[in-house]
Amino acid sequence: MVDLSKLISTKQAWAKAGRLLTGKSADPETDRLPPGQRLVKDWPVLDLGVQPEITPEKFSLDVNGAVERPLHFTLAQLMALPQEESVSDMHCVTAWSRYDNAWRGVSARTLLELAKPLPAARHVIFHAHDGYTTNVRLDQFDQPDVFLVHQWEGQPIDRRHGGPVRVLIPRLYLWKSAKWVNRIELASSDRPGFWERNGYNNNADPWLEERYDD
Ligand SMILES: Nc1nc2c(c(=O)[nH]1)N[C@H]1C(S)=C(S)[C@@H](COP(=O)(O)O)O[C@H]1N2
Ligand SMILES: [Mo]
């Protein structure tokens, strides 16, 4: 078990010290690797230390809040939606990046077309089975490379990485990509999630080195 208060105070100390900050920003169009990152070949596991076992029977996903049509899915219902493949890089605030990950899942845009956000909807708050939350703006979620993924490199996403279904927002630091997601809430106002309340940046753009809250 992870000592959660120790984990939080470590991250807050990093934030205070500006750990890993290079002071440079970069352009994602020309610099594939964001500043301060290094490439890895494996896929590290990072979370709060509880890795819930979400069997297909236990799986449930709601898309609700500021939407015209609240949605509820069983795993079979989610799998019956249009499935797409995507290849993208991922970037973790702990300074590893991994290129060319092959994903399969349901695109954020497919979900948004079904749920129909109300005009007032501006933010998205993700809730997960382990109690984790994280938040992005709706325009950050409404991107062609954002998915609910259930396969990585042709295999089901394993439990440690948030299987059976996790969020993937590849152009933000990976803490914005909730594992074991069970609710996607659209909201008119922002609500910082777990790490956003504990020293991490609300926006989380790796090319702007938005690691910590200023
Ligand atoms: N549900 C949930 N999602 C989560 C987390 C978590 O603790 N719980 N940790 C976040 C953090 S801090 C990171 S860096 C990534 C790590 O994803 P990975 O373990 O698949 O590499 O998941 C994010 N999503
Ligand atoms: Mo993280």
Side-chain angles (χ1 to χ4, degrees):
M1 247 322 273
V2 168
D3 179 340
L4 198 54
S5 61
K6 196 164 158 231
L7 181 65
I8 292 169
S9 55
T10 303
K11 298 294 167 97
Q12 286 174 335
W14 289 7
K16 210 165 162 221
R19 186 177 180 269
L20 304 170
L21 292 180
T22 66
K24 295 181 208 121
S25 66
D27 177 359
E29 299 303 317
T30 51
D31 301 294
R32 186 171 181 186
L33 191 66
Q37 297 292 110
R38 67 191 155 72
L39 284 175
V40 298
K41 292 260 185 283
D42 58 342
W43 183 7
V45 173
L46 292 123
D47 51 52
L48 302 179
V50 182
Q51 297 173 339
E53 164 115 53
I54 310 304
T55 58
E57 297 70 45
K58 265 201 232 160
F59 178 86
S60 132
L61 175 71
D62 286 288
V63 181
N64 57 25
V67 296
E68 250 176 65
R69 277 181 49 194
L71 307 173
H72 174 83
F73 298 100
T74 63
L75 191 55
Q77 288 166 338
L78 191 71
M79 297 299 177
L81 294 181
Q83 303 292 319
E84 291 171 53
E85 318 264 334
S86 179
V87 174
S88 57
D89 301 343
M90 54 183 159
H91 309 286
C92 177
V93 71
T94 59
W96 59 266
S97 292
R98 191 179 189 283
Y99 285 169
D100 291 325
N101 300 280
W103 305 102
R104 184 172 172 81
V106 175
S107 74
R109 288 186 166 169
T110 295
L111 290 178
L112 290 171
E113 274 163 33
L114 291 168
K116 302 187 195 303
L118 296 174
R122 289 282 181 279
H123 300 272
V124 185
I125 295 127
F126 302 93
H127 304 258
H129 278 280
D130 59 343
Y132 187 78
T133 54
T134 187
N135 57 307
V136 299
R137 290 192 315 272
L138 178 55
D139 64 278
Q140 295 172 312
F141 182 64
D142 185 6
Q143 294 292 330
D145 58 359
V146 175
F147 286 86
L148 293 189
V149 289
H150 56 81
Q151 274 186 25
W152 175 74
E153 306 293 337
Q155 298 295 323
I157 291 185
D158 75 47
R159 170 180 175 177
R160 298 172 314 141
H161 287 299
V165 177
R166 75 174 295 164
V167 179
L168 176 74
I169 307 178
R171 280 177 291 161
L172 299 177
Y173 285 123
L174 202 59
W175 85 77
K176 293 290 189 183
S177 295
K179 311 203 273 191
W180 313 290
V181 64
N182 61 8
R183 180 177 174 215
I184 300 175
E185 177 192 358
L186 281 90
S188 53
S189 57
D190 198 9
R191 202 173 334 126
F194 180 81
W195 282 121
E196 292 82 2
R197 290 192 305 272
N198 285 291
Y200 280 18
N201 190 281
N202 202 46
N203 194 53
D205 183 330
W207 288 271
L208 300 178
E209 282 201 307
E210 291 175 330
R211 298 178 192 273
Y212 314 115
D213 194 8
D214 325 293

